[in-house]
């Protein structure tokens, strides 16, 4: 149990501190401070009897009948002289604009803090408690309740007069009232009741457990956790009650709501006050302890515990003993616990002292970790908290931690902590670097040195690079890659590397690092030379990044030998910097490389390298025959005679066949397929592509004495050539493999063609009929004739002015209209009686 002690035991002491046993590892949950300023002056001359907490201010009642309004620091803002005796209760509505006050002499006042208008009454008995409706300021009825020997409800009626209703009486003095939303909870000598103001029904009666305790000495503590959860503490018993809605089918004469006790348990000490903290409870306990010298009990320091309620018990989360002033003289009824829901502040009120408890924040957590020398956790917590680093003196903590790590020879961890602890303090950084040099651990701190906007002196970085250069080439190369080139004097490091290369001239690590140093110094030619000599993968990146194309015109073969694909892609991507002609010239003596370049060029654009297409024929034939035929097909600039010559020399049949067909010598091409490839399927495919009757005849003539070829023809030519032509030329008695199957296939194909023709014919007939019906429906429709229509012959209005007279109009399907008398007489124009004269004239004029 953590004890809260005063550092200096003096009546004017204004803060309390927590002190734990040295070996305790449990961190406190709350921190405490004594409410001071104006509060100190008040309690020196008077004693606190009650206090109510609002998010904006505090309201304190005293034993001498005064009410003070204070800010949260304890400064007095207003003072009211209410009575000459003890103030029993102060109630505030949620807005903080109205206050209710009751005193031991029976006075009750309810007024606005800004208007002073309200209720003032003197009763003939002490009024122990008053409670305003939470929405008192906004409500039209201005309701509040008072508790003495009875519970009275006051509300203003429509005549602006106060109406009084007795809600309960006959069970002794009412000692506590808590009003939340529409529910009023109160405690008397018998137990706790809850009243629903909206339905005007009393919901429940929670009986007092320990009836042996005097209710005036050990009063009931009430606290609403939310609008439906009431926490009741009385003596050493705590009950958590939840107001629930009753099932409408079960109501009958019962209230619409009922109360269920979800948790009930006993505590070790007597309860003075309760307050919710999330799903936990903050509990103020009154403690008695036995004297060592006599058998009587003495009042001990009160305890503030955080407990976790369980259905039939509770779990203690934390427990603090509080040293409040004059605690030896206080009784259970002298303590109260009030809380501010908005900021989780808890006020422990006693006659001569008020202590504020609040949840420990991240700052407090870090302070505790530092006190326990848990440096690692403290540093991590400080980073997460985003607080001002000086607030916790983290740098000092961090330095102590670094010293500890160095002393335990955990150099890597110590160096890593430097990055977090030293921050932007360059002086501390340099001191640490020299300390690591002294102990021979420069390598450990090298990777954590600042290298951004804030930097150390160049000499510091050079010192570390020289250290690595002496003992670790790979580590030196890593630093050169990771560190910006302007951290140190580049020329000095270049000279140092050059000196080492004199002793080891073929060391690839040093050569690569030297190339990187030359790059930092913008001596790209030297860097490129080294990269090419080492065949280093970064050579292409270097060329691109620094536009070194003019430097590689005479190094194209080297680049191609290193990586043909990357080199060709780079050259093709930068044709404007290194021309195609220049590349071809450089690769003239390396035809295998020239072919790779020209092949990729052709793939990108069939026309750019057209003047080299003749040369490419030989290159494809020599190095890449699979791509020769695609090249011949796609190129429009390739000389066919030259290509044919090369292919015939090398006996490339497929390529020769393609060239012959492209040059128009299809019969010779077909002959090569049949004689040299002996592939009837290719021959048939070739004949299909050419679609030449003479080729089919040649193919049949060539195949007529070769039964396997005849089979192939029978299976494939049915859709191009009449099979009868082939069948008639077959010699009688010749054995043809699979002849039956071939004939069946021919018949099947023929039947299929017949079915397709019949299907098409049916579709055509159906479509024709559908269109004819559509035309008939269209022509049968009526035609509107009105004043706007004119005769196509006389151009007068088609309808006469006098509609009573008989008239005749002829309307054609083309929508041309005529007066009947305007049409030519029968015989003037052939069939004019059934033909629109206008349309007839137009058609006749067209043909003339």
């Amino acid at each position: 149990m953590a004890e809260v002690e005063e550092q200096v035991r003096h009546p004017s002491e204004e803060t309390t501190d927590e002190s734990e046993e040295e070996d305790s590892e449990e961190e406190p949950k709350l921190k405490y401070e004594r409410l001071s300023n104006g509060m100190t002056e008040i309690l020196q001359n008077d004693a606190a009897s009650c206090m109510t907490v609002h998010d904006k201010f505090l309201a304190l009642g005293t034993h001498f009948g005064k009410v003070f309004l204070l800010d949260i620091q304890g400064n007095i803002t207003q003072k009211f002289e209410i009575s000459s005796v003890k103030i029993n209760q102060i109630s505030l509505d949620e807005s903080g604009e109205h206050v209710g006050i009751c005193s031991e002499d029976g006075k009750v006042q309810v007024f606005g803090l800004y208007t002073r208008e309200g209720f003032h009454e003197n009763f003939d008995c002490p009024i122990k408690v008053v409670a305003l409706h939470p929405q008192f300021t906004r409500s039209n009825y201005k309701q509040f309740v008072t508790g003495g020997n009875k519970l009275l409800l006051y509300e203003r009626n429509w005549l602006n007069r106060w109406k009084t209703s007795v809600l309960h009486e006959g069970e002794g003095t009412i000692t506590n009232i808590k009003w939340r939303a529409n529910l009023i909870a109160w405690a008397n000598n018998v137990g706790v009741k809850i009243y629903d103001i909206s339905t005007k029904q009393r919901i429940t009666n929670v009986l007092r457990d320990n009836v042996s305790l005097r209710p005036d000495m050990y009063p009931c503590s009430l606290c609403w956790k939310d609008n439906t959860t009431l926490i009741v503490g009385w003596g050493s018993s705590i009950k958590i009650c939840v107001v629930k809605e009753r099932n409408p089918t079960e109501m009958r004469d019962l209230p619409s709501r009922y109360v269920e006790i979800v948790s009930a348990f006993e505590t070790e000490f007597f309860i003075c006050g309760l307050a919710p903290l999330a799903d936990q409870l903050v509990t103020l306990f009154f403690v008695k302890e036995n004297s060592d010298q006599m058998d009587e009990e003495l009042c001990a320091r009160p305890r503030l515990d955080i407990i976790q309620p369980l259905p039939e018990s509770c779990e203690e989360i934390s427990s603090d003993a509080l040293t409040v002033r004059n605690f030896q003289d206080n009784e259970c009824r002298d303590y109260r616990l009030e809380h501010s829901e908005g900021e989780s502040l808890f006020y422990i009120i006693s006659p001569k002292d008020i202590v504020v408890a609040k949840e420990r924040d991240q700052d407090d957590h870090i302070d505790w970790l530092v006190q326990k020398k848990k440096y690692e956790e403290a540093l991590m917590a400080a980073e997460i908290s985003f607080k001002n680093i000086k607030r916790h003196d983290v740098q000092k903590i961090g330095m102590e931690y670094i010293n500890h790590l160095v002393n335990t020879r955990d150099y890597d961890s110590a160096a890593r902590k430097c990055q977090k602890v030293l921050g932007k303090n360059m002086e501390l950084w340099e001191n640490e670097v020299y300390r690591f040099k002294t102990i021979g651990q420069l390598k450990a701190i090298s990777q954590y040195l600042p290298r951004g906007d804030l930097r150390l002196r160049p000499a510091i970085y050079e010192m570390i690079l020289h250290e690595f250069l002496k003992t670790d080439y790979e580590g030196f190369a890593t630093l050169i890659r990771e560190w910006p080139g302007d951290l140190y004097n580049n020329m000095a490091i270049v000279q140092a590397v050059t000196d080492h290369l004199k002793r080891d001239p073929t060391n690839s690590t040093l050569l690569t690092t030297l190339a990187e140093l030359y790059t930092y110094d913008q001596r790209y030619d030297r860097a490129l030379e080294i990269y090419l000599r080492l065949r280093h993968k970064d050579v292409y990146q270097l060329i691109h990044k620094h536009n070194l194309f003019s430097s590689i015109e005479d190094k194209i073969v080297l680049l191609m030998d290193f990586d043909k694909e990357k080199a060709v892609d780079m050259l093709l991507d930068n044709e404007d910097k290194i021309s195609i002609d220049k590349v071809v010239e450089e690769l003239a003596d390396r035809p295998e490389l020239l072919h790779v370049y020209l092949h990729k060029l052709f793939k990108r654009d069939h026309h750019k390298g057209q003047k080299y297409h003749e040369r490419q024929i030989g290159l494809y034939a020599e190095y890449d025959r699979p791509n020769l035929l695609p090249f011949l097909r796609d190129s429009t600039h390739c000389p066919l005679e030259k290509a044919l010559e090369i292919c015939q020399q090398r006996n490339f049949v497929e390529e020769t066949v393609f060239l012959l067909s492209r040059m128009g010598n299809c019969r010779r091409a077909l002959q090569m397929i049949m004689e040299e490839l002996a592939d009837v399927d290719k021959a048939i495919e070739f004949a299909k592509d050419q679609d030449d009757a003479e080729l089919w005849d040649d193919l049949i003539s060539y195949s007529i004495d070769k039964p396997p070829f005849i089979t192939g023809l029978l299976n494939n030519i049915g859709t191009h050539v009449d099979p009868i032509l082939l069948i008639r030329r077959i010699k009688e008695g010749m054995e043809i493999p699979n002849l039956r199957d071939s004939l069946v296939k021919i018949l099947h194909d023929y039947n299929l063609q017949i079915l397709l023709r019949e299907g098409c014919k049916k579709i055509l007939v159906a479509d024709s009929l559908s269109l004819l019906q559509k035309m008939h429906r269209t022509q049968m429709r009526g035609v509107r004739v009105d004043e706007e229509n004119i005769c196509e012959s006389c151009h007068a209005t088609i309808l006469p002015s006098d509609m009573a007279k008989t008239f005749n109009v002829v309307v054609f399907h083309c929508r041309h209209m005529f007066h009947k008398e305007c049409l030519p007489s029968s015989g003037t124009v052939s069939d004019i009686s059934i033909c629109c004269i206008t349309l007839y004239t137009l058609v006749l004029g067209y043909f003339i």
Side-chain angles (χ1 to χ4, degrees):
M1 179 179 69
E3 296 186 350
V4 180
E5 302 275 359
E6 293 179 277
Q7 287 184 337
V8 179
R9 297 185 180 276
H10 191 276
S12 62
E13 179 64 33
E14 298 184 352
T15 60
T16 57
D17 288 327
E18 299 167 77
S19 63
E20 300 182 354
E21 296 180 3
E22 289 298 326
D23 58 350
S24 174
E25 292 297 324
E26 183 179 355
E27 183 178 359
K29 304 296 182 182
L30 300 173
K31 63 179 179 179
Y32 303 86
E33 62 181 9
R34 183 165 281 118
L35 201 61
S36 56
N37 299 320
M39 184 66 74
T40 303
E41 181 182 351
I42 294 171
L43 297 184
Q44 282 177 348
N45 303 314
D46 204 340
S49 61
C50 61
M51 191 173 84
T52 299
V53 177
H54 191 270
D55 290 343
K56 301 175 183 176
F57 60 91
L58 311 175
L60 175 72
T62 72
H63 281 259
F64 290 170
K66 299 179 179 60
V67 172
F68 296 90
L69 300 185
L70 309 97
D71 62 20
I72 58 176
Q73 282 80 34
N75 299 302
I76 300 172
T77 59
Q78 280 185 278
K79 176 182 177 182
F80 304 103
E81 298 281 352
I82 302 298
S83 174
S84 59
V85 295
K86 184 173 73 168
I87 302 296
N88 283 330
Q89 181 67 39
I90 301 172
S91 176
L92 297 168
D93 70 341
E94 289 182 354
S95 68
E97 297 179 11
H98 281 80
V99 60
I101 305 169
C102 65
S103 59
E104 190 67 19
D105 59 0
K107 288 183 178 179
V108 175
Q109 295 188 25
V110 178
F111 57 87
L113 293 176
Y114 307 107
T115 63
R116 293 308 299 267
E117 297 179 1
F119 177 88
H120 300 268
E121 186 69 58
N122 290 328
F123 292 86
D124 57 0
C125 66
I127 301 299
K128 297 296 185 180
V129 64
V130 62
L132 302 185
H133 190 295
Q135 299 295 328
F136 186 90
T137 300
R138 300 179 182 178
S139 172
N140 295 327
Y141 298 104
K142 307 298 182 187
Q143 295 172 314
F144 68 93
V145 290
T146 62
N149 53 19
K150 62 180 70 174
L151 180 67
L152 297 177
L153 171 66
Y154 293 85
E155 53 187 340
R156 185 175 287 173
N157 60 22
W158 64 278
L159 294 174
N160 207 26
R161 294 179 180 175
W162 292 100
K163 174 187 173 183
T164 307
S165 304
V166 177
L167 299 184
H168 186 71
E169 63 180 332
E171 291 183 355
T173 304
I174 293 170
T175 57
N176 200 348
I177 301 175
K178 294 295 180 183
W179 193 334
R180 180 76 173 243
N182 291 322
L183 298 176
I184 304 173
W186 73 91
N188 55 29
N189 293 346
V190 176
V192 176
K193 282 80 175 170
I194 300 178
Y195 183 83
D196 188 341
I197 197 73
S198 62
T199 61
K200 298 183 180 179
Q201 293 176 317
R202 197 172 75 185
I203 299 175
T204 191
N205 180 18
V206 181
L207 295 177
R208 178 161 63 105
D209 290 337
N210 194 342
V211 295
S212 63
L213 296 175
R214 289 174 52 185
D216 59 329
M217 296 296 292
Y218 297 90
C220 176
S221 296
L222 298 176
C223 173
W224 287 100
K225 179 181 178 181
D226 52 45
N227 288 349
T228 58
T229 305
L230 177 67
I231 306 169
V232 180
W234 208 334
S236 59
S237 172
I238 292 179
K239 295 179 181 178
I240 300 178
C241 310
V242 178
V243 180
K244 297 186 176 182
E245 298 290 337
R246 195 182 301 275
N247 191 323
T249 61
E250 301 175 357
M251 281 188 182
R252 297 186 297 277
D253 298 329
L254 299 174
S256 61
R257 293 180 172 185
Y258 68 97
V259 169
E260 178 182 340
I261 298 176
V262 297
S263 178
F265 52 88
E266 292 291 322
T267 61
E268 186 179 355
F269 306 106
F270 299 110
I271 300 160
C272 305
L274 296 167
L277 178 62
D279 62 340
Q280 299 172 343
L281 285 180
V282 178
T283 309
L284 180 63
F285 288 120
F286 172 72
V287 182
K288 284 189 175 183
E289 58 185 17
N290 293 323
S291 172
D292 294 336
Q293 299 177 352
M294 55 190 74
D295 294 334
E296 63 181 11
E297 290 184 336
L298 301 178
C299 296
R301 291 179 295 171
R303 286 178 29 157
L304 192 69
D305 287 11
I306 299 177
I307 61 176
Q308 178 67 59
L310 302 172
E312 296 181 355
S313 63
C314 66
E315 178 185 353
E316 181 183 288
I317 305 300
S318 70
S319 181
D320 297 327
L322 310 179
T323 303
V324 298
R325 294 189 179 98
N326 299 342
F327 69 87
Q328 301 90 341
D329 301 328
N330 295 336
E331 297 177 341
C332 183
R333 62 183 176 181
D334 293 324
Y335 292 106
R336 297 196 182 192
L337 178 64
E338 298 289 339
H339 74 286
S340 171
E341 296 182 2
E343 300 182 15
S344 295
L345 299 176
F346 305 94
Y347 295 82
I348 298 95
I349 300 106
S350 66
K352 287 295 183 180
D353 203 1
I354 295 178
V355 175
V356 185
K358 63 176 68 175
E359 288 187 273
R360 293 170 62 88
D361 57 17
Q362 190 73 351
D363 291 351
D364 302 304
H365 174 60
I366 294 172
D367 287 338
W368 183 82
L369 291 173
V370 171
Q371 180 184 353
K372 293 298 178 181
K373 302 187 183 303
K374 298 182 178 183
Y375 301 116
E376 180 72 24
E377 296 178 46
L379 289 172
M380 291 177 62
E383 292 175 8
I384 296 172
S385 68
F386 296 100
K387 301 291 184 184
N388 185 348
I389 198 168
K390 293 183 180 178
R391 161 67 181 85
H392 307 292
D393 201 8
V394 174
Q395 198 165 74
K396 180 180 178 181
I397 300 166
M399 289 304 301
E400 293 181 9
Y401 188 28
I402 291 172
N403 293 337
H404 168 73
L405 292 172
V406 170
N407 292 334
T408 57
R409 297 187 178 184
D410 190 355
Y411 303 116
D412 186 70
S413 297
R416 186 165 56 252
K417 294 307 170 193
C418 288
Q419 204 168 29
K420 299 179 180 179
V421 174
L422 305 183
K424 301 178 181 179
N425 193 322
M426 297 298 106
E427 182 179 355
L428 284 179
W429 265 112
E430 293 197 6
N431 291 339
E432 286 304 305
V433 171
Y434 282 115
R435 177 164 73 156
F436 274 75
K437 176 179 173 57
T438 302
I439 60 179
Q441 292 296 327
L442 277 178
K443 291 183 179 180
I445 201 172
S446 62
Q447 58 182 314
Y448 304 109
L449 293 182
R451 61 188 76 169
D453 295 336
L454 296 173
R455 299 178 177 184
L456 307 178
R457 292 181 295 112
I460 300 295
Y461 301 101
E462 292 169 20
M463 176 177 68
I464 293 174
L465 289 173
H466 282 293
E467 180 70 21
F468 271 90
L469 193 56
K470 292 177 183 177
T471 59
D472 184 1
Y473 286 167
E474 292 295 335
F476 173 77
T478 301
L479 288 184
I480 293 298
R481 281 193 298 271
E482 292 179 352
W483 284 3
D486 55 352
L487 282 179
Y488 45 84
N489 185 335
N490 193 69
M491 291 303 299
I493 303 302
V494 167
Q495 186 59 49
V497 174
T498 304
D499 292 342
H500 278 264
L501 279 171
K502 290 178 181 178
R503 298 191 292 271
D504 189 3
T506 61
N507 189 290
S508 60
T509 302
L510 285 180
L511 286 170
T512 303
T513 307
L514 182 60
E516 292 174 0
L517 290 169
Y518 281 139
T519 302
Y520 295 151
D521 204 29
Q522 298 185 1
R523 290 188 280 179
Y524 302 121
D525 289 346
R526 292 193 175 186
L528 181 61
E529 183 180 345
I530 294 175
Y531 279 139
L532 287 173
R533 192 197 330 169
L534 294 175
R535 301 170 68 88
H536 197 277
K537 60 183 178 60
D538 289 344
V539 64
Y540 299 102
Q541 180 182 354
L542 180 70
I543 294 169
H544 275 291
K545 185 175 181 179
H546 302 291
N547 196 21
L548 304 179
F549 295 98
S550 60
S551 302
I552 64 168
E553 288 185 348
D554 57 345
K555 301 178 177 64
I556 293 175
V557 173
L558 289 175
L559 289 169
M560 292 283 285
D561 283 337
F562 176 30
D563 190 326
K564 291 190 286 292
E565 297 298 323
K566 281 188 177 181
V568 170
D569 287 338
M570 180 188 69
L571 293 170
L572 293 177
D573 290 339
N574 297 274
E575 290 178 29
D576 56 329
K577 297 164 185 169
I578 301 181
S579 67
I580 297 173
D581 294 339
K582 179 63 179 176
V583 176
V584 172
E585 179 185 346
E586 290 294 318
L587 298 177
D589 296 334
R590 296 289 299 275
E592 74 280 7
L593 300 179
L594 177 61
H595 166 67
V596 174
Y597 174 77
L598 291 176
H599 173 64
K600 278 208 168 187
L601 174 64
F602 180 75
K603 287 294 184 182
R604 290 197 180 193
D605 190 321
H606 292 349
H607 307 290
K608 277 190 177 179
Q610 57 182 297
K611 67 179 181 180
Y612 301 110
H613 284 195
E614 182 177 351
R615 184 186 299 189
Q616 279 186 267
I617 300 170
L619 293 174
Y620 276 112
E622 181 69 25
Y623 302 107
D624 189 9
R625 184 189 171 184
N627 282 313
L628 173 58
L629 187 56
F631 170 74
L632 295 174
R633 285 198 182 105
D634 295 337
S635 174
T636 57
H637 309 286
C638 175
L640 299 180
E641 294 81 1
K642 179 66 175 178
L644 181 61
E645 179 185 348
I646 293 174
C647 292
Q648 287 177 336
Q649 288 175 355
R650 294 176 178 268
N651 197 27
F652 291 170
V653 178
E654 291 187 23
E655 292 82 352
T656 302
V657 167
F658 169 75
L659 291 170
L660 287 171
S661 63
R662 188 168 174 182
M663 296 170 70
N665 194 350
C666 296
R667 301 187 72 177
R668 173 58 183 152
L670 179 62
Q671 182 182 355
M672 288 191 68
I673 295 173
M674 299 296 286
E675 293 178 354
E676 300 191 29
L677 295 180
D679 191 336
V680 67
D681 293 329
K682 276 193 176 181
I684 294 170
E685 195 64 32
F686 180 78
K688 288 180 180 180
D689 291 341
Q690 303 301 320
D691 195 21
D692 186 343
E694 292 185 1
L695 284 182
W696 284 111
D697 189 61
D698 290 347
L699 180 56
I700 292 172
S701 299
Y702 184 83
S703 305
I704 202 65
D705 59 346
K706 300 177 180 64
F709 279 35
I710 294 175
T711 301
L713 287 173
L714 290 173
N715 289 334
N716 292 281
I717 70 171
T719 56
H720 294 269
V721 180
D722 187 354
I724 298 300
L725 297 177
L726 173 62
I727 294 171
R728 285 177 176 171
R729 295 177 63 177
I730 298 174
K731 295 179 181 179
E732 186 175 351
M734 178 181 289
E735 291 187 7
I736 301 172
N738 301 318
L739 176 61
R740 183 180 63 84
D741 295 339
S742 299
L743 293 176
V744 170
K745 185 176 183 302
I746 291 173
L747 294 174
H748 182 269
D749 291 346
Y750 178 76
N751 289 334
L752 182 61
Q753 290 182 20
I754 296 300
L755 289 174
L756 288 173
R757 289 180 183 179
E758 290 178 353
C760 292
K761 181 179 179 181
K762 290 180 180 179
I763 293 171
L764 181 61
V765 171
D767 288 348
S768 299
L769 179 60
S770 175
L771 291 172
L772 179 63
Q773 291 172 343
K774 182 178 179 181
M775 182 183 71
H776 182 261
R777 287 195 301 270
T778 302
Q779 293 181 348
M780 291 297 291
R781 291 175 183 170
V783 179
R784 179 188 177 101
V785 179
D786 54 24
E787 299 83 1
E788 295 181 0
N789 297 113
I790 63 171
C791 174
E792 296 292 337
S793 179
C794 66
H795 301 293
T797 304
I798 198 69
L799 298 178
S801 57
D802 187 1
M803 296 293 291
K805 295 181 179 180
T806 302
F807 66 95
N808 292 311
V809 175
V810 178
V811 181
F812 290 94
H813 289 301
C814 56
R815 298 300 187 268
H816 291 132
M817 301 179 185
F818 298 88
H819 296 123
K820 187 173 183 180
E821 57 271 18
C822 293
L823 285 173
S825 59
S826 180
T828 305
V829 180
S830 176
D831 294 329
I832 195 65
S833 59
I834 60 171
C835 179
C836 170
I837 187 63
T838 302
L839 186 61
Y840 180 83
T841 305
L842 290 173
V843 173
L844 187 60
Y846 173 79
F847 283 104
I848 293 174

